[in-house]
Amino acid sequence: MEFMDQIFVNLKSTVLTLAGGFLPPWAVILLCAAISLGVIAVIGPVTMMYLTLIERKVLARMQNRIGPNRTGPWGLLQPLADGIKMLTKEDIVPKNADRIVHLVAPILIVIPALLVFAVIPFGKNMIPADLSVGVLYFLSISSTTTIAIFSASWASRNKYSLLGGMRAVAQMISYEIPMVLSVVPILLVTQSLSTGAIVRAQGAYGGWGWFVFTPWGFAAFITFFLCAVAECNRSPFDLPEAESEIVAGFHTEYSGMKFALFYMAEFMNAFTLSALAATLFLGGWQGPWLPSWAWFFIKTYALIFIMLWFRGTLPRFRVDQMMNLAWKFLLPLSLINILVAGFWHFANPPLAIGGSIAMLWASGWIFTRLNRDYTPEKRTYLFGE
Amino acid sequence: MTTRTNSLKTTMQTSKNYEVRDPQSSIETQTLAINVGPQHPSTHGVFRMNVVLDGEVVTSLKPVMGYLHRNHEQIAENMSYAASMPYTDRLDYFNSMTNNFGWALTVEKLAAIDVPERVEYVRVIMAELTRLVNHVSAIGFLLNDLGAFFTPVLYAFREREKILDIFEEVSGSRMMCNYFRFGGLRRDVTPAVLEKIRGIVNKFPAFLDEFETLLTKNEILCMRCQNVGILPRDLAVNASITGPLLRASGVNYDIRKVDGYSVYNRFEFKVPLGPKGDVYDRYYVRILEMRESLKILDQALKGIPAGEIMAKKMLPFVKSPRNFKPPVGEAYGRVEGPKGELGFYVVSDGTAQPWRYHVRAPSFINLTILEDMCRGQKLADAIVILGSIDIVLGEVDR
């Protein structure tokens, strides 16, 4: 058990010990960093490649289809085939496009998506860089995606792209606020911004002390997850690339590998945001029986599955409704949730549980009431003879 | 014509204020003219909308059509009556059976042909199956326009396939059926086919229930569809809108009831009417119409008599359709197609070819009020409103 749990850590230290036999100490430190970097550089794109396959398979099953199954067993080589196709496609740049920005935007969008892998605790002792400001680092790096998306849309000189870019900016900035605020209760309780420390704080009750089991943790998890779905532009918040309305949104004018980079960034964001949600609320690698890294991947992929499930079932929001949800519901709820977390921390257990559930329920009810115009109407249909 | 234009103008004036710019604001904004289509994922074919957007709000929308024009009417005037039958399949390629029905009905009216009873029943069965096919896929595509990633449309197509199998079995083709003949049908339906149709009729309500569980009360669907693209009752009547679009606006007008053509007056069914006339009502009226169609199918399957499948008068023309020369005169025949009133106007000069042939295409006429419904709505709504009209470009452009 312990062996399986630490197998990757031990592997790395063995390599480093062996290398230490004939390399100077500074080279060993470089090698240590290089191994972590190499692993991230491989995991990121491979995750993206296989997420496309998983998405297609899962959606196909939801839609009474089989999904890709021609390339390799269960279509396992499909991502490779797609990659080759993307690489060999013609790279088309519109005549009036801003060529430099058009080229740089897809690169800019991938870099933050890869950078945030650094603070994700993949397992016990398996965090590439346990920064003391890990969560802050993650949120600030991932927020730069907005710039890349907007420059892509602006540089394309296409009206659909422009509309998509406008939507993307409005959406991502709006949803960042409740997302950051929903993380605040966690920071209050754990008194740390380090992702490693946050996971260790959830180790109570034999690995079951996940924050999602507390009332404020649950509310924050829902808020965070909805915002995460909106942040990586996935259904039902896929307005920036709404196929039925604005063709492909901000990446309408991209083809070949540039387009693939947008896709890569989107899927890696989906993965890292799910991983962060799992880290903050679902106990990260904490859990009984299985190795820590197995728990981490199970939780992350469960959240990704929920994202795919959304995509397979839900229609899309309209722009104003999407903004309403962020500003009128999620933002006040996450603000109140900070108070609730403080109340939970200082009140005695029975009062804390009852009081915080009551506060959250009441505020949720009030916010739903305030947005009454958006609740469905009941209608009666007459029949003519 | 003048009354219609006037009333259109008044509705424009009375419709809600769509100006979103703040007149006091010092920020200068520009409108964005954008061409939605003819190559666009959601225009249901080669249809184009010249949209002027103020931010996301549609301030003007001009439908542009004609990309699929193929001279249908002129072609029909240069060939025999029977030869037009396969061409009508291509009008609304989702509902070839109903198109055949309309054309057959018109020529039978022109030449005063009495149709055997069994034929009438089979025609009604095929027309109602077509309605199921059309409405279920129309709802699926509407959900696609709403951004549901193909799931509803694939559920709908699963059921559509079963009905298309029936069409293939009776006519030899899934979509381009060319099944009706003047005074009869091309072939008889076998008892095995009727048994299969019975199976579909028995299972379809369960599918509709499933479909409704997933959609009708879905909150996002309600938010997106309710009070969007309202078509006022008066405007609907003045613009001669027909079909589910008109009934969703609360006008009790169904040609199956009004004309009682074929044997429709023998069946018990009701006409669902919408209270508001928005996209949601159009969606739900279609669901209710499918349920009524199932009632008609049930009664027709119970009451179908044995007998001939070709009128005596038309038997000589089965082998030589080009010799069919209806008497001099004119006729207008219409059926309640799934999209609205499908009418054929034909003038005969006594020769084997029609002197004038005209199609009243419901998709085309229903499209005329698109701008009135879309003005002041968001771009995303305009797409949904277009989807809720349920057009087929083969019929719009002809």
Side-chain angles (χ1 to χ4, degrees):
Chain A
M1 185 62 227
E2 185 62 29
F3 171 72
M4 280 306 287
D5 194 21
Q6 294 299 310
I7 183 163
F8 296 114
V9 181
N10 292 339
L11 206 63
K12 187 180 171 188
S13 53
T14 315
V15 170
L16 288 181
T17 323
L18 283 179
F22 55 89
L23 282 180
W26 57 268
V28 176
I29 294 169
L30 271 185
L31 184 66
C32 175
I35 289 175
S36 298
L37 279 178
V39 169
I40 291 175
V42 171
I43 279 187
V46 167
T47 308
M48 171 264 172
M49 284 165 79
Y50 278 90
L51 273 180
T52 58
L53 181 68
I54 292 170
E55 169 165 50
R56 289 172 69 179
K57 277 283 185 189
V58 168
L59 280 178
R61 280 296 165 195
M62 285 176 187
Q63 299 173 342
N64 296 311
R65 296 186 286 122
I66 298 168
N69 66 348
R70 299 287 102 181
T71 338
W74 307 293
L76 280 177
L77 296 178
Q78 186 68 42
L80 290 177
D82 285 345
I84 292 167
K85 184 199 80 175
M86 286 295 186
L87 279 170
T88 50
K89 267 181 112 170
E90 186 189 353
D91 173 39
I92 299 165
V93 183
K95 199 177 160 196
N96 288 327
D98 187 331
R99 297 189 73 91
I100 296 169
V101 184
H102 191 266
L103 171 73
V104 169
I107 302 168
L108 271 185
I109 201 171
V110 170
I111 292 171
L114 271 172
L115 279 178
V116 292
F117 273 89
V119 290
I120 301 229
F122 291 93
K124 204 175 188 175
N125 306 328
M126 275 170 68
I127 176 162
D130 192 359
L131 298 182
S132 58
V133 288
V135 178
L136 188 64
Y137 167 85
F138 187 104
L139 294 171
S140 49
I141 294 284
S142 66
S143 69
T144 56
T145 314
T146 321
I147 300 166
I149 287 184
F150 192 67
S151 46
S153 72
W154 191 261
S156 296
R157 276 281 180 108
N158 178 310
K159 288 170 183 172
Y160 291 122
S161 299
L162 182 65
L163 276 173
M166 296 290 192
R167 285 178 177 191
V169 172
Q171 172 175 336
M172 299 183 86
I173 290 176
S174 307
Y175 275 86
E176 231 146 58
I177 298 162
M179 183 159 117
V180 174
L181 287 175
S182 68
V183 179
V184 171
I186 309 282
L187 309 180
L188 288 180
V189 171
T190 55
Q191 301 178 355
S192 169
L193 276 162
S194 146
T195 44
I198 288 171
V199 174
R200 281 193 294 279
Q202 302 179 66
Y205 315 111
W208 287 101
W210 307 353
F211 287 139
V212 72
F213 296 139
T214 58
W216 52 268
F218 185 71
F221 172 64
I222 300 290
T223 317
F224 183 88
F225 189 63
L226 283 180
C227 296
V229 174
E231 278 290 295
C232 49
N233 299 334
R234 294 193 63 85
S235 180
F237 303 101
D238 55 346
L239 293 109
E241 48 198 76
E243 193 212 351
S244 60
E245 294 151 26
I246 48 174
V247 189
F250 60 86
H251 54 61
T252 307
E253 293 289 1
Y254 282 90
S255 66
M257 207 53 211
K258 288 182 188 166
F259 173 75
L261 287 179
F262 278 111
Y263 241 67
M264 186 187 274
E266 184 185 321
F267 278 102
M268 287 197 300
N269 278 333
F271 179 84
T272 47
L273 281 164
S274 299
L276 188 68
T279 305
L280 294 177
F281 302 101
L282 302 182
W285 43 261
Q286 299 276 8
W289 310 306
L290 290 175
S292 55
W293 43 270
W295 269 112
F296 171 81
F297 281 106
I298 288 170
K299 287 167 185 172
T300 306
Y301 277 96
L303 290 180
I304 288 173
F305 175 76
I306 293 174
M307 283 192 183
L308 303 182
W309 197 358
F310 280 171
R311 180 142 194 238
T313 43
L314 292 178
R316 185 184 304 123
F317 280 106
R318 206 172 55 202
V319 193
D320 52 332
Q321 293 160 348
M322 183 249 331
M323 298 299 262
N324 278 335
L325 181 68
W327 291 103
K328 292 190 185 168
F329 190 84
L330 295 179
L331 179 63
L333 191 70
S334 55
L335 279 172
I336 284 188
N337 200 32
I338 297 174
L339 285 180
V340 173
F343 177 73
W344 169 277
H345 191 70
F346 289 109
N348 295 320
L351 180 69
I353 295 171
S356 31
I357 290 176
M359 277 160 77
L360 284 171
W361 186 83
S363 47
W365 186 78
I366 288 169
F367 297 141
T368 330
R369 277 285 144 147
L370 285 178
N371 299 325
R372 194 69 199 166
D373 347 345
Y374 305 105
T375 48
E377 304 169 4
K378 280 214 174 104
R379 294 191 177 178
T380 44
Y381 287 81
L382 298 173
F383 286 91
E385 276 308 322
Chain B
M1 203 55 210
T2 37
T3 41
R4 204 205 125 185
T5 357
N6 288 343
S7 78
L8 273 178
K9 264 181 200 154
T10 44
T11 10
M12 272 189 222
Q13 281 152 9
T14 49
S15 70
K16 71 173 179 181
N17 188 14
Y18 53 83
E19 194 65 45
V20 288
R21 245 176 281 169
D22 180 9
Q24 252 118 60
S25 165
S26 60
I27 303 170
E28 258 188 52
T29 54
Q30 282 182 331
T31 52
L32 182 71
I34 188 165
N35 260 316
V36 181
Q39 279 115 20
H40 186 277
S42 295
T43 48
H44 300 251
V46 279
F47 174 63
R48 183 171 126 207
M49 301 188 280
N50 284 348
V51 188
V52 178
L53 292 178
D54 187 352
E56 286 264 349
V57 180
V58 177
T59 57
S60 114
L61 185 150
K62 294 274 174 271
V64 182
M65 36 205 141
Y67 292 93
L68 208 61
H69 183 64
R70 56 204 186 280
N71 235 341
H72 174 68
E73 292 176 6
Q74 192 67 46
I75 287 172
E77 284 162 17
N78 290 315
M79 53 173 45
S80 70
Y81 285 84
S84 286
M85 190 63 88
Y87 277 90
T88 61
D89 289 340
R90 276 85 178 159
L91 278 178
D92 176 355
Y93 40 78
F94 263 80
N95 312 318
S96 56
M97 288 285 194
T98 324
N99 302 343
N100 289 177
F101 201 169
W103 179 226
L105 209 69
T106 312
V107 175
E108 281 153 15
K109 214 170 171 181
L110 182 69
I113 304 163
D114 283 329
V115 182
E117 198 156 320
R118 182 174 175 85
V119 174
E120 297 280 30
Y121 271 83
V122 175
R123 284 179 175 184
V124 166
I125 289 172
M126 292 307 159
E128 293 309 312
L129 284 177
T130 306
R131 198 178 310 280
L132 293 181
V133 166
N134 180 75
H135 282 359
V136 83
S137 20
I139 293 172
F141 284 124
L142 173 65
L143 262 291
N144 243 15
D145 293 344
L146 279 167
F149 187 74
F150 291 103
T151 312
V153 93
L154 282 161
Y155 277 43
F157 270 36
R158 183 183 57 188
E159 299 308 306
R160 175 174 173 261
E161 281 307 309
K162 291 175 191 162
I163 297 174
L164 291 188
D165 285 347
I166 304 272
F167 289 172
E168 188 175 7
E169 205 159 337
V170 296
S171 74
S173 174
R174 283 154 33 89
M175 288 174 81
M176 303 293 120
C177 297
N178 184 20
Y179 181 52
F180 291 27
R181 290 290 177 270
F182 308 131
L185 300 165
R186 201 166 81 217
R187 320 182 228 171
D188 201 355
V189 288
T190 58
V193 170
L194 288 180
E195 206 47 53
K196 274 191 188 170
I197 298 174
R198 163 61 60 192
I200 288 177
V201 173
N202 288 343
K203 280 183 193 149
F204 209 85
F207 160 72
L208 272 185
D209 290 342
E210 183 200 14
F211 212 51
E212 272 209 71
T213 325
L214 295 172
L215 300 179
T216 302
K217 284 185 184 155
N218 182 311
E219 198 147 328
I220 302 181
L221 185 127
C222 291
M223 278 160 72
R224 288 293 307 274
C225 292
Q226 287 184 343
N227 299 317
V228 166
I230 295 177
L231 175 60
R233 204 188 148 105
D234 297 342
L235 176 61
V237 174
N238 288 336
S240 69
I241 306 302
T242 45
L245 210 63
L246 178 70
R247 292 191 283 276
S249 293
V251 183
N252 184 4
Y253 183 75
D254 188 323
I255 293 161
R256 291 175 294 175
K257 289 279 188 195
V258 175
D259 279 9
Y261 62 91
S262 193
V263 284
Y264 271 114
N265 46 19
R266 293 188 202 174
F267 302 123
E268 286 241 336
F269 66 98
K270 287 175 182 159
V271 183
L273 303 174
K276 267 223 165 123
D278 56 8
V279 175
Y280 188 81
D281 280 347
R282 280 167 225 150
Y283 153 77
Y284 203 65
V285 159
R286 288 201 173 96
I287 294 256
L288 292 173
E289 268 184 29
M290 280 194 270
R291 294 195 189 274
E292 297 300 320
S293 285
L294 288 169
K295 280 186 203 164
I296 299 177
L297 277 170
D298 187 51
Q299 293 166 49
L301 285 170
K302 273 182 191 141
I304 183 167
E308 290 298 309
I309 56 142
M310 188 51 87
K312 287 233 166 55
K313 196 175 170 186
M314 292 304 286
L315 281 176
F317 303 112
V318 170
K319 285 274 155 62
S320 56
R322 267 182 246 172
N323 293 346
F324 173 63
K325 286 171 186 161
V328 180
E330 59 175 355
Y332 177 71
R334 55 182 189 171
V335 289
E336 179 67 35
K339 294 180 165 63
E341 174 183 337
L342 175 67
F344 290 87
Y345 175 68
V346 64
V347 180
S348 163
D349 55 358
T351 60
Q353 293 166 351
W355 184 80
R356 175 75 177 104
Y357 166 91
H358 174 73
V359 184
R360 186 218 184 268
S363 294
F364 174 65
I365 296 191
N366 290 353
L367 204 51
T368 52
I369 36 84
L370 181 65
E371 184 175 11
D372 297 273
M373 290 198 283
C374 289
R375 209 184 288 113
Q377 309 274 3
K378 303 273 187 301
L379 174 66
D381 290 334
I383 302 285
V384 174
I385 292 165
L386 179 69
S388 76
I389 297 178
D390 182 19
I391 56 163
V392 158
L393 266 294
E395 194 179 55
V396 172
D397 293 342
R398 297 195 294 285

